[in-house]
Amino acid sequence: MANARKNLIGMIGAGILAGCVSSLPIECVTNNRLKSNYVSTEKGLGRIVQDGPQAGPPVAANGSKTDGVDYSVKVVDKYLARIGLVFFDEPVLQTSLTYFPKDLSGFNINYFENRMAGNGELTEVDLTLGYGVSADDFDVSFKALYGFLDAFLPFRDIVEVGARASTRNLPITIGAEVDAVFSPDNNRDVGGEAIAFARKDFNLFDSLKANAWTDLHFNNHYFIRDDNFSVANIGAGLRWNPFENDLLNVSVDAQQQYTLINDFDDQSLVSLSVGGSVKF
C-alpha cells in the first residue's frame, strides 16, 4: 500500500506539472464509525455529497447556452460520496437532466435520480435550482437543492444550499465550496461542510484523458448528526471517450482515491456514461 501511495503521489505530481483535467465526481468511504452512524440511517444523501472537484466551469455557469437540455445516464459499480463513504456497495443507475432556459441567463434546473441496477429500486430524487457566472479568472455558482429520499430512512426529504468558486486560467484549478443541509420533515439540525480542492487535467490521446486531484473536507454534522470530522483525499483517474459530439457522448471512467486523514478505506470507481445536449 505504501508503494501504491508513493506511485499515486508521483502520478499526481506529474499530472499537475504536465497537463489538463476532467475529474469524475468523486464518490466513497468505509470508516466503521461513519458506517454505523451514517450508512444505516442516511445513505440516501448520496447525490448531495457525490460531486467532487470537476473540470471546467461550474454546472450552473452556462448562461451562454441556448435554450436546451443536457442529459446523462450512468451505470456505476458503486455509489460513493466525495468524502469516501460508500452509500451503496453495488451497481447503481444514475440519470440526470439539466434544463438551461435561454431567457434566464446563468440559471439551470436539474433533475437527478438514483436507482439500484439490480432491481430498479428508486432510492433518491433531487431537484436543484442553480445559478452561475463566469469572469475572466473565476467561475462562481450557487445552488438550492430539494432531495426526496427512500422510505426506509428516518427522514424523507432534505434541503441543501451551497456556493462554489474556482479559478479558470491557472495551471492548476483551485477552488472552494461551502454547503449547508437540513431536513424539514424532522427538524434535523443544520449541518455544514467546507471543501478546498485542487485539480489538474491533461490529454493523453485524442479520446483518452487523465486527471489528478486533492481535496480537503471540513464537516460539521453534515454526514452524521452527532460528530464532526475532516477528510483529505488524493486521487487520479482516466476517461475514455470512444464517441463524442454535442448530441451524444459515450465515456468510460475509472479512478482511484486514497484518504490521507481519518481511517477511511481507499476506494476505486468505474462507470459507463451516455450523455449529450439537445438545443431548442
Side-chain angles (χ1 to χ4, degrees), residues 91-117:
V92 295
L93 178 66
Q94 298 176 340
T95 303
S96 175
L97 295 172
T98 306
Y99 172 60
F100 298 92
K102 64 181 179 182
D103 295 330
L104 296 174
S105 179
F107 283 92
N108 69 63
I109 301 171
N110 175 262
Y111 170 87
F112 169 89
E113 69 173 39
N114 184 82
R115 293 180 180 271
M116 307 307 295

Side-chain angles (χ1 to χ4, degrees), residues 132-188:
V133 293
S134 295
D136 290 340
D137 297 318
F138 293 95
D139 293 313
V140 180
S141 66
F142 306 90
K143 66 180 176 182
L145 178 150
Y146 171 79
F148 182 79
L149 310 177
D150 45 353
F152 60 80
L153 295 175
F155 50 86
R156 294 293 298 273
D157 60 357
I158 56 91
V159 173
E160 183 192 51
V161 294
R164 178 186 180 99
S166 60
T167 60
R168 289 175 59 87
N169 298 317
L170 296 180
I172 303 171
T173 299
I174 300 172
E177 181 173 344
V178 178
D179 299 301
V181 64
F182 68 97
S183 179
D185 66 352
N186 72 342
N187 297 317
R188 174 185 171 167

